[in-house]
Amino acid sequence: MMVEAVIFDFGGVMTTSPFEAFARFEQERGYPVDIIRNTNAANHLENAWAKFERAEIDLDTFDRLFAEESLALAGAAVSGREVLPLLAGDLRPDMVEALRRIKSECKTGCITNNLPANAIGSQGGRSFYVAEVMALFDHVIESAKIGLRKPDPRIYRMMTDALGVNPADCVYLDDLGVNLKPARELGMTTIKVVSASQAITELEAATGLKLA
């Protein structure tokens, strides 16, 4: 295939996954295993997390709603405010280098479900990112800025329109299967990121480029 653009998620792709931090937090506090991930996944289009990433609610409301949802789901009220600092991951240098190499041959984009920039402790908004990395993308779409988040199919179309490419000529990377499905249905080649080395190997196969 002829790849014209490679589109990346940010957290869990360009950075390490927050899931390990979630697990440590749950163990330290004595919460049920995976209560944070399961609360995020339940009613994932309209739950507290989804509304916060679309900037429809403020931090106090998110804190309260997330606690209510986790209590109803798993019997423990988890403070949404305390979960947010767990989102910050470390940049993956090998993924950044792969992005640099891709940029020399293809258009690049980033679609990220993020949080309002004023979310205390969330490191949301642009402060979460490293400026030099974000500059490598030809176009960036942030959910909290546009009021739309993955997996809404419209956000993927916004990216392909902005880049001026056909979805069938794109590769999309994300660490969540629910976010990959709409991209795949649009015709994109999709890669579920489990680790940087695995993602880079699959990217090399999809693009024909040497990325490591």
Side-chain angles (χ1 to χ4, degrees):
M1 65 174 288
M2 176 61 183
V3 174
E4 291 190 22
V6 179
I7 303 166
F8 298 78
D9 174 31
F10 198 87
V13 174
M14 301 307 298
T15 67
T16 54
S17 172
F19 294 158
E20 292 179 12
F22 289 171
R24 287 194 300 270
F25 177 82
E26 291 163 353
Q27 185 175 25
E28 290 168 359
R29 300 296 179 91
Y31 288 134
V33 173
D34 286 338
I35 187 172
I36 297 174
R37 292 179 66 176
N38 291 339
T39 302
N40 289 348
N43 190 25
H44 69 92
L45 297 179
E46 293 299 332
N47 61 16
W49 204 279
K51 291 176 180 176
F52 200 31
E53 287 185 333
R54 293 193 298 257
E56 294 174 0
I57 57 176
D58 61 16
L59 178 60
D60 289 340
T61 304
F62 170 73
D63 183 53
R64 174 178 58 80
L65 290 179
F66 192 86
E68 291 174 358
E69 290 172 357
S70 58
L71 180 62
L73 181 72
V78 180
S79 164
R81 191 185 299 266
E82 292 185 351
V83 170
L84 297 180
L86 306 176
L87 295 175
D90 297 322
L91 277 173
R92 289 170 162 162
D94 38 2
M95 288 298 291
V96 176
E97 177 58 27
L99 172 58
R100 285 196 180 97
R101 296 189 185 193
I102 289 168
K103 184 174 176 60
S104 67
E105 302 290 338
C106 306
K107 295 179 179 179
T108 56
C110 177
I111 306 175
T112 176
N113 283 354
N114 66 346
L115 303 172
N118 62 352
I120 299 171
S122 72
Q123 298 191 37
R126 288 299 176 120
S127 63
F128 179 79
Y129 307 130
V130 176
E132 306 92 90
V133 176
M134 300 309 285
L136 295 174
F137 296 111
D138 294 313
H139 190 67
V140 177
I141 296 178
E142 300 177 64
S143 66
K145 290 189 173 181
I146 65 168
L148 197 66
R149 70 191 286 273
K150 298 175 292 186
D152 191 313
R154 291 174 293 174
I155 204 167
Y156 305 87
R157 277 290 187 188
M158 287 177 65
M159 176 59 75
T160 55
D161 288 348
L163 294 177
V165 295
N166 188 309
D169 299 325
C170 299
V171 177
Y172 177 67
L173 299 91
D174 204 297
D175 62 324
L176 298 178
V178 68
N179 292 338
L180 291 167
K181 184 179 178 182
R184 189 162 54 247
E185 290 176 347
L186 283 173
M188 296 184 191
T189 296
T190 58
I191 296 173
K192 184 174 183 179
V193 177
V194 178
S195 68
S197 59
Q198 161 264 331
I200 289 169
T201 296
E202 292 190 34
L203 254 180
E204 287 181 331
T207 63
L209 301 174
K210 179 66 176 175
L211 302 177

